[in-house]
Amino acid sequence: FYRDEDELAEWREKDPIRTYPERLIEDGVMTEGEYDDLEAEIEAEIQAAIALARESPEADPATAREAGDPSG
């Protein structure tokens, strides 16, 4: 990287993915329990999508472009 470790650490502390949940809770948008439930629900959806992808057959290269290719 071209950034030193101190700068990376400083930006990690400002990372909105990490700080936004705290702000939602502090601002009363949701409780910590509600956030934890939401996070668990999202994780379950991700894991279900991963499982579906792993269990699905490989795409046939000959017909792969037929499935919703926006370029027609």
Side-chain angles (χ1 to χ4, degrees):
F1 288 111
Y2 61 93
R3 305 282 183 198
D4 66 36
E5 191 57 40
D6 290 339
E7 185 176 2
L8 290 173
E10 181 182 334
W11 281 104
R12 280 187 197 106
E13 290 179 25
K14 297 176 184 180
D15 181 357
I17 293 173
R18 292 180 141 162
T19 61
Y20 196 60
E22 293 172 10
R23 184 171 177 185
L24 291 173
I25 293 165
E26 288 171 3
D27 290 350
V29 175
M30 60 179 24
T31 67
E32 189 170 345
E34 289 170 330
Y35 178 78
D36 291 343
D37 291 346
L38 177 62
E39 192 173 42
E41 183 181 329
I42 292 168
E43 182 63 28
E45 285 184 38
I46 291 169
Q47 292 305 318
I50 291 170
L52 177 63
R54 287 184 175 154
E55 293 166 3
S56 297
E58 293 286 327
D60 179 359
T63 60
R65 293 189 58 97
E66 296 173 12
D69 182 11
S71 65

